[in-house]
Amino acid sequence: MGGIFAFVCKDSIDVSIINKGLKKLIYRGYDSAGIAYLEDDSLVIKKILGNISKNEISVSDKARVAIGHTRYASRGWPTLENAHPLTDCNGKIAVVMDGILDDYEKIREDLIAKGHKFVSTTDAEVIPHLLENSTNYLNSSLNVMKRVKGIYSLVFVTIDIDKIFAINSGQPLMIGITQECKYVSSDLPSLSGFAENAIIMPENTVAVISWNDVQVYNIEGNEVKPEIKRVKYKEEIAEKGGFPHFMLKEIYDIPQALINSFNSLMEKYLSLASMIVYGAKNVYIIGNGTSLHAGFISSYYFSEISLNVNVVSAAEFPYYALKNVTTGSVIIAISQSGETSDVIRSIKMAKQRGAVILGITNSVGSRLALESNVYLPITAGPEMAVPATKTFTSTIVVLKVLSLYTGLHSGKNDRSEISSLKSEIEELAKQLMVRLPEMEKEAEKLAPKLDKESLYISSSGINYPIALEGALKFKEASMTHAEGIQLGELLHGPIVLTNKGYPVILIKPVEAEDLYNKVIRSIKERGDVIVTVAEDGDMKSIKATRDLTPISNVIPLHLLAYKLGVRKGLPIDTPPGLVKAVIV
Ligand code: AGP
């Protein structure tokens, strides 16, 4: 996955402007970056490891055609070999890609059997080899689109012709238009300062782009006339993909991240991971903050297959749980950053006692990924805001899939449940894409009601961890004290504070509807403020199957916490004194 930025111009311009474009796309990936440009009929390729906003690609040449990429490692480690651009065997074609290919392993095997030499372990490298020796790049691009399954977009250059070829197979690509140049980018805002108008490439199209012309073709090879939009974004918004805050942008990323997270899980690693969990003497699930809450949700999934797991804060684990860890123990360690010290310290200690470590992380090259015996990727894409949102919902997907695979070994689950889950996730994502703008408006309207000193968030069963998670988001994003509490427990004392005007956000549980109604009545008798999160609630959550309700219910809480933070004028993405990964 990653961000793409490229240009083709009438006259040579500074190649280094690619750095500027890529910096605006940093939210799409920051593990490595690279540029390819045409110089004297050959391709020059430069790559760096790490974050391009901190370390530019050093290039002083001018060129008429150049392509660039900033990478989020999802398939293959964050190494220079895996950094884009990637080339064919002859070094004549350079490709940068955003997205994930589903069936690349088979294609790669076929190409290797035909004599192609691969230098990386990333999925995107199949593309330049598929294009190798092409005599008609438009036709070859259409063939790539037909043959290679996945959700991706890509751009390539070849020394044969001073044009850029672009394929949109489900990931966004925009073409900025000026008199003298055409620019290609993964989003519209990053084109501000480069072009005032841009073509939005429709899905499943190929574009042939020269400095003075853009032709777009559908999969049948017929020319189409796509929409042209004006590019007008403030600089600070451009870096957040057009959103005022990363947190909001990342909430809007959730639907796609759910699908990517499901699709990125590979059968061979799932089989291995689930076999390890199934054969474990005892299972501990560790993490901190949001990752710990995802762990709590998974305990409900594992209990469906009669597997008792111990969910423990990674900060507490060494003091209390570690003593029961021996050979045969399995530690499922969850950390979106993969760098949290509590997690790393705990897994190192557990390893010394003979435990097997199953890491779950959103960062492929992280310490957690490196220290784990086997790891499963979260694949939510880079998350920039300190309040975690899309990594949480995607972690839930990974844990649900892991539990289903574990149940296959004991015969509690069958394969049809995996394909049903895929459809359920797709349906949820589809509905979310439509509903998110309305939910955002609902949250904006309700935020003033919650602008109080403190509040409760309450639910039951599999949605109780969502109450904890929501409370954490209110603290981080809106600097409001919030307490997550089990529904029934509200009546055992805490309800007294609702008299003080402390609002209660009630998440309708899947089971225990009678309890939910009883709590509503009890609070209303006191005349106090309730905001309900339910299909028919004040914040309308999307209908989902029981195991996906934590995803559909947490999003309204994300939005409420966010809107309250906006109302208070807070630095939502970077709450004072907090960092994205606690590594001390
Ligand atoms: C979440 O919004 C917080 N920023 C924080 O609690 C976080 O979840 C925790 O520090 C764990 O981070 P990790 O997933 O990167 O390990």
Side-chain angles (χ1 to χ4, degrees):
M1 295 175 88
I4 293 172
F5 198 86
F7 68 75
V8 47
C9 291
K10 183 177 178 202
D11 302 312
S12 293
I13 64 168
D14 286 336
V15 175
S16 63
I17 65 129
I18 294 273
N19 282 308
K20 204 174 149 201
L22 291 180
K23 280 184 193 174
K24 293 183 180 173
L25 296 169
I26 200 70
Y27 70 87
R28 305 182 76 89
Y30 40 67
D31 294 324
S32 60
I35 295 180
Y37 55 97
L38 294 179
E39 189 183 60
D40 303 333
D41 294 335
S42 67
L43 271 177
V44 182
I45 298 200
K46 296 187 181 234
K47 298 181 181 184
I48 55 158
L49 276 181
N51 187 331
I52 193 165
S53 1
K54 297 186 184 143
N55 178 21
E56 281 200 354
I57 302 169
S58 160
V59 51
S60 52
D61 292 333
K62 287 176 184 273
R64 291 188 49 224
V65 186
I67 62 175
H69 187 261
T70 180
R71 179 170 184 246
Y72 163 72
S74 53
R75 293 274 160 83
W77 296 90
T79 59
L80 277 182
E81 291 75 33
N82 287 341
H84 301 204
L86 298 152
T87 58
D88 65 324
C89 294
N90 308 319
K92 285 174 67 177
I93 301 164
V95 175
V96 290
M97 189 184 93
D98 168 31
I100 299 167
L101 306 183
D102 291 342
D103 50 356
Y104 77 100
E105 283 185 313
K106 172 81 185 73
I107 298 174
R108 187 182 163 109
E109 277 165 24
D110 291 349
L111 286 163
I112 290 172
K114 286 183 185 150
H116 288 264
K117 299 266 178 296
F118 280 71
V119 295
S120 81
T121 54
T122 187
D123 50 356
E125 198 183 358
V126 298
I127 306 289
H129 291 280
L130 287 172
L131 295 165
E132 198 169 314
N133 299 325
S134 167
T135 48
N136 180 328
Y137 288 103
L138 171 59
N139 283 346
S140 304
S141 301
L142 292 168
N143 288 336
V144 163
M145 200 161 58
K146 285 175 196 154
R147 176 163 178 198
V148 184
K149 302 280 173 278
I151 301 176
Y152 59 93
S153 67
L154 63 91
V155 154
F156 70 89
V157 282
T158 153
I159 61 167
D160 298 334
I161 182 167
D162 52 1
K163 288 182 180 177
I164 290 176
F165 293 83
I167 300 178
N168 176 331
S169 204
Q171 281 290 86
L173 266 187
M174 320 290 157
I175 305 164
I177 307 163
T178 70
Q179 282 280 323
E180 311 274 294
C181 291
K182 304 289 171 278
Y183 298 90
V184 187
S185 179
S186 295
D187 76 10
L188 214 48
S190 61
L191 288 171
S192 60
F194 291 100
E196 289 188 351
N197 294 300
I199 290 173
I200 318 288
M201 266 184 84
E203 272 186 30
N204 300 321
T205 56
V206 171
V208 182
I209 308 159
S210 50
W211 72 268
N212 59 351
D213 191 28
V214 179
Q215 286 160 333
V216 182
Y217 300 89
N218 65 17
I219 198 155
E220 282 84 36
N222 301 320
E223 200 171 343
V224 291
K225 287 279 161 233
E227 188 190 352
I228 297 189
K229 276 213 164 180
R230 251 186 105 61
V231 181
K232 226 173 172 203
Y233 291 89
K234 287 190 196 140
E235 203 61 12
E236 70 271 17
I237 285 189
E239 282 153 12
K240 298 179 186 98
F243 287 86
H245 296 96
F246 279 120
M247 183 177 174
L248 186 62
K249 179 193 169 299
E250 286 155 7
I251 295 169
Y252 273 82
D253 285 345
I254 287 175
Q256 192 59 58
L258 293 174
I259 293 172
N260 288 349
S261 300
F262 184 94
N263 289 343
S264 299
L265 292 168
M266 294 169 80
E267 180 74 30
K268 64 180 174 192
Y269 297 114
L270 278 168
S271 300
L272 181 61
S274 56
M275 184 55 98
I276 290 169
V277 175
Y278 176 62
K281 202 165 80 185
N282 48 18
V283 179
Y284 290 91
I285 301 185
I286 64 167
N288 299 101
T290 293
S291 293
L292 176 63
H293 298 154
F296 284 138
I297 292 166
S298 74
S299 67
Y300 291 85
Y301 299 152
F302 285 113
S303 95
E304 292 292 302
I305 55 164
S306 311
L307 187 78
N308 284 325
V309 294
N310 308 286
V311 186
V312 189
S313 156
E316 298 273 299
F317 178 82
Y319 302 105
Y320 307 104
L322 186 67
K323 60 177 179 291
N324 295 322
V325 170
T326 56
T327 306
S329 298
V330 171
I331 315 296
I332 303 179
I334 309 168
S335 170
Q336 68 77 25
S337 63
E339 299 293 346
T340 298
S341 292
D342 287 334
V343 174
I344 303 302
R345 175 171 172 245
S346 294
I347 60 169
K348 282 187 175 165
M349 288 172 154
K351 259 170 123 176
Q352 276 173 2
R353 295 177 66 94
V356 174
I357 313 299
L358 165 54
I360 296 183
T361 180
N362 196 39
S363 180
V364 169
S366 61
R367 286 194 293 166
L368 175 57
L370 293 167
E371 291 281 345
S372 297
N373 299 94
V374 52
Y375 85 90
L376 295 174
I378 294 173
T379 327
E383 190 175 66
M384 313 295 276
V386 168
T389 51
K390 63 175 175 173
T391 52
F392 177 64
T393 43
S394 286
T395 305
I396 295 172
V397 167
V398 175
L399 289 163
K400 177 63 199 160
V401 177
L402 175 65
S403 74
L404 277 183
Y405 268 77
T406 308
L408 292 181
H409 299 295
S410 61
K412 292 262 181 195
N413 295 131
D414 61 60
R415 287 211 159 252
S416 67
E417 288 171 77
I418 297 163
S419 36
S420 300
L421 178 68
K422 183 175 161 65
S423 318
E424 287 160 19
I425 290 171
E426 284 168 355
E427 182 55 32
L428 177 61
K430 205 166 85 191
Q431 287 192 49
L432 261 177
M433 283 177 200
V434 178
R435 277 274 294 132
L436 268 167
E438 289 166 36
M439 286 166 101
E440 192 191 333
K441 282 189 202 132
E442 282 166 19
E444 191 165 350
K445 265 199 221 145
L446 289 165
K449 257 185 149 179
L450 302 171
D451 198 350
K452 299 278 158 59
E453 188 193 338
S454 184
L455 56 96
Y456 289 118
I457 306 181
S458 186
S459 195
S460 171
I462 197 168
N463 280 289
Y464 165 56
I466 295 306
L468 301 177
E469 175 57 14
L472 175 54
K473 291 298 96 104
F474 270 86
K475 287 168 205 151
E476 289 183 309
S478 70
M479 301 290 272
T480 300
H481 179 261
E483 182 181 339
I485 188 162
Q486 279 170 336
L487 210 46
E489 289 303 314
L490 254 181
L491 305 179
H492 291 271
I495 198 165
V496 70
L497 286 181
T498 62
N499 293 342
K500 272 184 81 178
Y502 285 13
V504 184
I505 302 176
L506 290 179
I507 308 158
K508 189 173 181 180
V510 186
E511 299 94 2
E513 202 177 333
D514 52 341
L515 182 58
Y516 173 73
N517 291 330
K518 185 163 115 187
V519 170
I520 292 187
R521 273 198 310 276
S522 305
I523 300 174
K524 279 194 176 158
E525 275 161 18
R526 295 157 184 260
D528 292 317
V529 185
I530 304 180
V531 169
T532 52
V533 174
E535 261 177 75
D536 53 353
D538 307 314
M539 276 299 291
K540 290 179 187 44
S541 56
I542 284 161
K543 186 177 169 60
T545 46
R546 181 239 190 204
D547 286 353
L548 297 184
T549 53
I551 298 176
S552 67
N553 284 332
V554 80
I555 296 164
L557 301 180
H558 287 157
L559 288 166
L560 286 169
Y562 170 76
K563 287 293 176 184
L564 186 54
V566 171
R567 184 181 154 81
K568 290 178 156 185
L570 295 169
I572 293 166
D573 291 332
T574 49
L578 293 184
V579 287
K580 187 71 183 153
V582 182
I583 53 170
V584 286

